[in-house]
Amino acid sequence: MAYTKQSKQSRRPKRSTRSTHQRSRNNASMRRTLRREVPGTVGLLADEQDFTAMRRYRTFTFDDHASYLRQVDDLLRTLASRQLHTTVALFDPDDFTEYCAEAGLDPDAAMSRSRYTAEIAGRGATVPYTGQPLDSLLPQLINKAVRQATWEYATMLLADRGECADCGQDIGRAAFDRASRILMRLLEEAGPGTHHLVCSVPAPNEQLLAVLHAEGATAAPAHLDASEGAEFVTVLAAGIALQSPGGVVLRTSAPGAPDHLHGWRLHQGRLLPLTAGEVFSAYCTDATTGEPLSPEPGVEYCAGFDITTDDPGNHH
């Protein structure tokens, strides 16, 4: 029998084209799976003024704001259709310019805009995209940005108060603790129902405003959003520390009953209840013209109730 030695090439099993294509498809599938787990952020120019400011850059190629918003909306819908989690952040042209100068980046480059967008996603206000139209998303985003700016400014005011010259106590910390106790007492006294609280405090450079929603129960502490609670307490604390006039309004809704409106004025770090007449006057008077307004139907204007807290001693 003749024996023929096979070459290494002939003995090597042939690679299947089908197998190669299968591995390629598997790799692509795995990459798509990983991509769905990578969050993304879209920086949005919310108004015409900000959009116009970015048009000075050659690499920013959009012509008009309306077209730009349509393209952003299409992009968000596409990302959502691919099951990608996306958040939207406000893109501030002035802050972007400062960021590029500090980081040594060319502002007229897409990579710089991308890096800035990633930066504001970590420190700025963002809203998750869940399929909502832009005319609904934009007010949410702007409101969140305003809330964050208010909280940051109020926090700075508290930090700048320093220590009491008499007792060495940190004035900002003491005011924050007192504001926290006041909020707890407000919600305890308000009882069951859906509560809507507004705190307004004049500050050196702007009017501070904080809004809080809470659900009160009969035998349990009220349930509230932690970030809203922190913002409300910080604004109230700024008014206490600055001894600003300010005020707080509480609206409580319950099934089968009219809404109850209560009010307080902030005086020397304390909340003093308004009378029912004062609450009525505040709500039924046009703030601009001073003309009377019709009472809101289904609402009872009530006096504020006393807010007592277990505060140790005098307050700053």
Side-chain angles (χ1 to χ4, degrees), residues 2-309:
Y3 174 79
T4 303
K5 186 177 181 181
Q6 291 181 317
S7 67
K8 292 183 179 180
Q9 183 68 29
S10 63
R11 292 200 305 269
R12 183 180 301 160
K14 293 184 178 180
R15 180 174 296 175
S16 168
T17 302
R18 182 177 180 180
S19 176
T20 302
H21 289 168
Q22 182 63 41
R23 282 195 295 271
S24 178
R25 285 196 296 268
N26 290 342
N27 289 337
S29 176
M30 287 187 288
R31 284 194 296 270
R32 285 194 297 270
T33 300
L34 286 173
R35 180 67 185 91
R36 284 196 294 268
E37 298 189 18
V38 177
T41 304
V42 173
L44 179 61
L45 296 161
D47 57 39
E48 189 77 39
Q49 182 178 354
D50 287 346
F51 177 83
T52 302
M54 290 301 295
R55 290 202 63 202
R56 67 178 180 268
Y57 299 120
R58 178 185 56 81
T59 56
F60 187 80
T61 57
F62 295 95
D63 295 324
D64 65 272
H65 191 231
S67 174
Y68 162 81
L69 290 178
R70 286 194 297 270
Q71 293 296 327
V72 170
D73 189 47
D74 289 344
L75 171 62
L76 291 172
R77 292 178 184 276
T78 300
L79 293 173
S81 70
R82 296 174 182 171
Q83 301 180 8
L84 301 177
H85 176 73
T86 307
T87 57
V88 183
L90 279 181
F91 195 104
D92 185 329
D94 294 333
D95 189 52
F96 169 66
T97 301
E98 294 177 7
Y99 171 79
C100 290
E102 293 174 358
L105 299 175
D106 177 11
D108 196 359
M111 178 61 73
S112 300
R113 293 192 290 274
S114 178
R115 284 185 56 176
Y116 172 73
T117 300
E119 177 76 15
I120 59 176
R123 61 178 172 83
T126 61
V127 171
Y129 179 72
T130 58
Q132 67 269 51
L134 279 187
D135 58 2
S136 173
L137 185 147
L138 273 172
Q140 296 176 33
L141 186 58
I142 293 171
N143 177 63
K144 194 165 185 179
V146 170
R147 283 173 47 196
Q148 178 165 323
T150 299
W151 175 75
E152 290 174 351
Y153 180 55
T155 300
M156 182 195 69
L157 291 175
L158 291 176
D160 287 347
R161 297 303 293 167
E163 297 181 350
C164 174
D166 295 329
C167 67
Q169 187 178 33
D170 186 294
I171 297 175
R173 169 53 61 182
F176 188 89
D177 292 343
R178 176 166 172 74
S180 300
R181 290 190 289 269
I182 288 174
L183 176 58
M184 290 176 61
R185 292 297 297 158
L186 274 170
L187 294 175
E188 287 173 3
E189 294 294 332
T194 300
H195 307 305
H196 177 85
L197 295 98
V198 179
C199 179
S200 178
V201 171
N205 296 321
E206 62 181 273
Q207 184 79 15
L208 300 179
L209 187 71
V211 178
L212 172 66
H213 300 85
E215 292 291 335
T218 303
H223 176 74
L224 64 150
D225 180 81
S227 60
E228 282 191 1
E231 293 161 10
F232 188 93
V233 167
T234 304
V235 168
L236 178 57
I240 292 172
L242 296 171
Q243 296 196 352
S244 298
V248 171
V249 173
L250 165 67
R251 181 171 186 150
T252 298
S253 304
D259 286 3
H260 288 178
L261 277 174
H262 304 268
W264 296 261
R265 63 186 178 92
L266 191 60
H267 177 69
Q268 294 184 349
R270 297 181 180 277
L271 277 187
L272 304 180
L274 298 177
T275 66
E278 289 173 325
V279 174
F280 179 89
S281 177
Y283 266 87
C284 299
T285 303
D286 188 293
T288 304
T289 64
E291 294 295 319
L293 300 174
S294 300
E296 187 177 348
V299 173
E300 290 187 4
Y301 301 89
C302 311
F305 39 82
D306 289 332
I307 301 298
T308 58
T309 58

